[in-house]
Amino acid sequence: MSAPVWVVDTNVLVSGLLRPAGPPAQILNAVRDGRIRLAYSAAILSEYAEVLRRPRFALPPAVVADLLDGLSGWPPIEPGRGPRLPDPDDEPFLALARVTPDRILVTGNLADFPPGERGSVVVLSPAAALKYIPAV
């Protein structure tokens, strides 16, 4: 059985790297263990790189590089345009989730993805997503 393919918002990655004991960190651990595969597009990968390297987070460059390099083994998916959202920076995440097999988007900001715009995408908080992670 192959790992589920999820779209994970940048805020979950930042939280997971900054707080190694919470639900976002558990999601990152599942990615590292191969229990979840992150779907990404070129736009999302660019955002991940830019945000994770911001000086205010003070994330070690080797940790950021390791995370981004881990994604490079999987091909990017270019989904095309999705629905308009209050924050245009969120649109690539929902557009991508709509074309992934599992149609799951994990975010710390549920309000950024209004229910009327989600279509068949299930938008989960990191804590709610934990119950969908396959066991080791």
Side-chain angles (χ1 to χ4, degrees), residues 33-51:
D33 296 346
R35 292 179 287 142
I36 300 169
R37 195 179 115 197
L38 293 187
Y40 67 93
S41 64
I44 289 172
L45 188 61
S46 177
E47 178 174 320
Y48 284 170
E50 188 273 321
V51 171

Side-chain angles (χ1 to χ4, degrees), residues 35-125:
R35 292 179 287 142
I36 300 169
R37 195 179 115 197
L38 293 187
Y40 67 93
S41 64
I44 289 172
L45 188 61
S46 177
E47 178 174 320
Y48 284 170
E50 188 273 321
V51 171
L52 293 173
R53 290 182 175 127
R54 288 181 181 166
R56 72 180 174 155
F57 296 129
L59 295 169
V63 170
V64 173
D66 183 51
L67 178 63
L68 297 175
D69 289 346
L71 295 177
S72 66
W74 306 326
I77 302 168
E78 298 306 329
R81 295 230 19 109
R84 299 264 185 235
L85 294 173
D87 182 352
D89 289 342
D90 293 324
E91 293 172 5
F93 293 91
L94 186 57
L96 182 59
R98 286 178 163 213
V99 299
T100 59
D102 298 297
R103 295 177 187 251
I104 292 179
L105 170 60
V106 182
T107 182
N109 298 317
L110 297 173
D112 290 349
F113 300 92
E117 302 301 332
R118 295 177 184 177
S120 60
V121 173
V122 177
V123 180
L124 300 169
S125 70

Side-chain angles (χ1 to χ4, degrees), residues 6 23 27 106 110 123-133:
W6 292 2
I27 290 169
V106 182
L110 297 173
V123 180
L124 300 169
S125 70
L130 293 179
K131 67 182 171 185
Y132 298 101
I133 296 174

Side-chain angles (χ1 to χ4, degrees), residues 8-18 24 28 38 48 52 67:
V8 176
D9 200 348
T10 310
N11 60 63
V12 176
L13 298 184
V14 170
S15 294
L17 291 172
L18 292 175
L28 282 179
L38 293 187
Y48 284 170
L52 293 173
L67 178 63

